[in-house]
Amino acid sequence: MNPFVIGAGALGLGYVAWRKFKSPSKTDYQSMNSVGPGGVPITVATPVSNGVTSAQATTVPQTPPTVGQYTPVPTTVPGQGVVYAPPGTVAVASSGGVFQPAPIVVTPGGSASIAIGSVKDVQHALNTLGYCTTKLVEDGKLGPATIACIKAFQSKNGLVVDGNAGAATKAALSAALTNMAGGGSAAGATAQNSSPQTGVATTPAGGLIDTTPALKMNNKDIQHALNILGASPPLTEDGNIGAKSVAAIKSFQVSHGLTSDGVAGPKTKTALYLATQGH
């Protein structure tokens, strides 16, 4: 599967306009592969943006890490409206014109941004998740086939079955995409359900792991770990957390069930450290 065969619509959030209609190439993304439920091959491809935030560059989270999974929240994107994505996934900064589109999940069924806003976003997500008996035409129209597929998704996910692409459904689709891509990661689960800044992580089975080395990781270590784990294209290990490194961090985070904010804070470092132990 070529992870860069991504439909323009799946880019979403003005990415095509931001790139001035440039055809996407491999160097426009940082990707990482994972395996979804049932062994489904998955690629997470994050567009390389035109800048990074101070938190991303310094790998210092703006807020303390939170225990548990991150619930998609509404985010307003100028010119695009409201989308639902994990906190910090879409970065919009007026100063310097920094804009970071959300990572894209690619499966044999299709490709979809984890930021869900429009009807077309919903169609991309449903195809990528494989909820439709027949692949939807991704035309942005709420037709009978799309409504039926939305109802199937709602029914299987404990939502009100009304066929409408409302806020709860969009948030659930975003969560389903991120869970499909990274829900099976033991390293991510261990980091997510721990307080890694203490240097001790708790496994899902209740065991304890010494993660002190993770707290000592510097920027070069982060880039090296990402390369070991399959960052594509490989990063230059220069200690500079720029746009390519941030995109690679986001792809890793989605692939391991972490919030995709591009900040290599304690949880992400813990997951990186754990994931590289088998390599």
Side-chain angles (χ1 to χ4, degrees):
M1 178 180 60
N2 182 351
F4 299 101
V5 180
I6 300 173
L11 298 175
L13 299 178
Y15 180 72
V16 175
W18 173 62
R19 283 292 189 188
K20 298 181 179 178
F21 298 96
K22 173 184 175 183
S23 297
S25 66
K26 187 173 181 178
T27 56
D28 289 329
Y29 302 86
Q30 279 291 332
S31 72
M32 187 162 288
N33 296 327
S34 65
V35 179
V40 174
I42 293 174
T43 295
V44 179
T46 301
V48 177
S49 71
N50 60 342
V52 303
T53 67
S54 59
Q56 291 167 340
T58 61
T59 70
V60 177
Q62 294 177 326
T63 56
T66 305
V67 174
Q69 296 292 328
Y70 293 85
T71 301
V73 296
T75 302
T76 300
V77 179
Q80 299 293 328
V82 176
V83 300
Y84 288 81
T89 297
V90 181
V92 182
S94 56
S95 58
V98 175
F99 171 59
Q100 294 178 355
I104 298 162
V105 175
V106 185
T107 72
S111 57
S113 167
I114 64 171
I116 308 296
S118 67
V119 172
K120 187 173 285 188
D121 291 337
V122 170
Q123 292 169 327
H124 285 311
L126 290 168
N127 282 336
T128 302
L129 291 165
Y131 269 90
C132 310
T133 53
T134 302
K135 188 172 182 178
L136 295 174
V137 176
E138 297 169 354
D139 56 5
K141 298 178 182 179
L142 198 61
T146 297
I147 291 173
C149 194
I150 290 173
K151 285 183 176 180
F153 174 79
Q154 291 170 330
S155 177
K156 292 181 180 179
N157 287 273
L159 301 169
V160 175
V161 182
D162 57 9
N164 293 322
T169 297
K170 291 175 181 177
L173 283 168
S174 176
L177 286 166
T178 54
N179 186 61
M180 169 185 264
S185 168
T190 299
Q192 187 71 285
N193 294 295
S194 303
S195 297
Q197 58 269 32
T198 64
V200 178
T202 305
T203 68
L208 299 179
I209 299 176
D210 177 14
T211 56
T212 303
L215 300 178
K216 299 178 181 179
M217 293 177 72
N218 59 31
N219 290 353
K220 286 186 179 181
D221 295 332
I222 292 167
Q223 292 167 326
H224 185 61
L226 290 166
N227 282 338
I228 289 175
L229 295 170
S232 180
L235 299 172
T236 300
E237 298 175 17
D238 57 4
N240 175 33
I241 303 297
K244 290 183 179 180
S245 292
V246 167
I249 290 168
K250 285 190 174 186
S251 289
F252 169 80
Q253 289 169 328
V254 173
S255 298
H256 291 269
L258 303 170
T259 190
S260 51
D261 59 4
V263 180
K267 286 195 174 190
T268 297
K269 288 180 180 178
T270 297
L272 280 167
Y273 169 71
L274 294 173
T276 56
Q277 295 310 290
H279 292 255

